[in-house]
Amino acid sequence: LAKMSSKIQRDQLREHVENILQRSLDKPRKFQETVELQITLKNYDPQRDKRFSGTVKLKHTPRPKLKLCVIGDERHLDEAKKLGIECKSMDELKKLNKDKKLVKKLAKKYDAFLASDTVIKTIPRVLGPGLNKAGKFPTVLSHTEKMENKAEEVKGTIKFQMKKVLCLAVAVGHVKMEKEELVANINMAVNFLVSLLKKNWQNVRSLYIKTTMGSSERIY
């Protein structure tokens, strides 16, 4: 993954990154803008071809402000409270009564979930398929791992998931990052995505990068 894909020249990518960062500086927003990679695929039939999904941990955390929730057993709930990470017990989840609207609301409130290995298997039974449908099924957390490290890992991980359309978008960084950090993250994300595709680069129609509120730059 580290090797730069031959299809995108590093110098050109650097220039595109400079351009979107400059536009963000010219028009500062009241919040930290995310840098997004937008992908359009071709020669791909979402109905017939196997839908792919994969996760990759980027070198530099793309979303440090990611909203995380721990679904935990007693020990993990205590640990989460000490770290200032929002958390929910299984009893709290049971109170949602598998109500689809409430589960959807829960899934919408957070960007990602961690769940104790002691309770993760019972989550679908208690909540139904809601978190899974939202693409936010929890990452498993054991008692031998440090919650702090696991939270950082989740914040640094991006997910490519093929749905019914040929367009995908993932967060690869934010505007306060160094230019080289963004270039490294974009390279890594693009190379990983291409490795997931059946025909690799032949499945890629276009790649764009943009900040949340800015206009996009075509990088491929």
Side-chain angles (χ1 to χ4, degrees):
L1 285 187
K3 80 171 182 12
M4 183 50 196
S5 58
S6 56
K7 301 278 180 183
I8 299 175
Q9 299 303 319
R10 209 175 180 117
D11 292 341
Q12 280 176 318
L13 179 58
R14 210 172 268 127
E15 224 169 280
H16 292 309
V17 169
E18 271 170 23
N19 291 345
I20 63 166
L21 290 179
Q22 189 53 52
R23 285 202 288 270
S24 172
L25 282 173
D26 294 343
K27 258 192 174 177
R29 305 286 170 175
K30 286 191 173 73
F31 65 96
Q32 184 171 290
E33 289 182 85
T34 297
V35 174
E36 195 173 74
L37 171 69
Q38 297 178 331
I39 303 116
T40 311
L41 302 176
K42 65 177 182 187
N43 305 334
Y44 201 94
D45 181 348
Q47 304 309 30
R48 286 219 313 270
D49 288 324
K50 191 173 173 285
R51 290 193 196 168
F52 59 83
S53 91
T55 54
V56 61
K57 188 181 182 310
L58 297 179
K59 201 171 168 190
H60 309 281
T61 301
R63 293 189 294 172
K65 292 191 165 108
L66 185 102
K67 258 198 111 167
L68 196 61
C69 176
V70 172
I71 298 170
D73 54 23
E74 286 290 306
R75 258 174 73 187
H76 276 149
L77 292 175
D78 288 344
E79 201 181 333
K81 281 168 193 159
K82 277 183 196 139
L83 290 169
I85 298 173
E86 289 193 38
C87 55
K88 303 246 178 258
S89 66
M90 286 310 280
D91 286 342
E92 285 175 84
L93 297 189
K94 280 174 189 158
K95 284 181 190 150
L96 301 180
N97 274 334
K98 276 193 188 170
D99 180 325
K100 281 188 186 142
K101 275 189 185 154
L102 293 175
V103 175
K104 209 172 174 179
K105 202 172 156 188
L106 173 75
K108 223 176 159 173
K109 189 178 174 189
Y110 300 100
D111 297 311
F113 293 86
L114 285 175
S116 307
D117 52 3
T118 48
V119 303
I120 198 160
K121 285 192 175 75
T122 57
I123 290 171
R125 220 174 37 234
V126 172
L127 288 181
L131 289 186
N132 216 0
K133 272 188 182 156
K136 292 183 186 174
F137 194 76
T139 299
V140 66
L141 176 69
S142 73
H143 286 288
T144 54
E145 298 171 291
K146 276 188 139 162
M147 188 182 287
E148 214 168 344
N149 298 353
K150 197 73 177 184
E152 278 312 305
E153 192 182 306
V154 168
K155 285 179 185 178
T157 302
I158 57 168
K159 183 175 189 174
F160 289 100
Q161 195 167 20
M162 182 67 196
K163 299 264 174 73
K164 287 178 186 141
V165 289
L166 291 176
C167 302
L168 299 150
V170 290
V172 285
H174 55 83
V175 293
K176 294 276 189 287
M177 279 167 91
E178 293 296 324
K179 183 176 67 191
E180 288 307 319
E181 292 178 337
L182 276 169
V183 168
N185 274 5
I186 293 163
N187 282 343
M188 210 170 164
V190 168
N191 286 332
F192 180 72
L193 166 78
V194 170
S195 75
L196 289 178
L197 299 169
K198 200 161 82 181
K199 294 180 182 155
N200 305 108
W201 280 98
Q202 288 165 341
N203 285 130
V204 182
R205 183 176 299 271
S206 66
L207 298 170
Y208 286 86
I209 51 171
K210 75 184 285 295
T211 60
T212 311
M213 309 298 285
S215 53
S216 55
E217 289 265 322
R218 187 167 185 168
I219 62 171
Y220 173 74

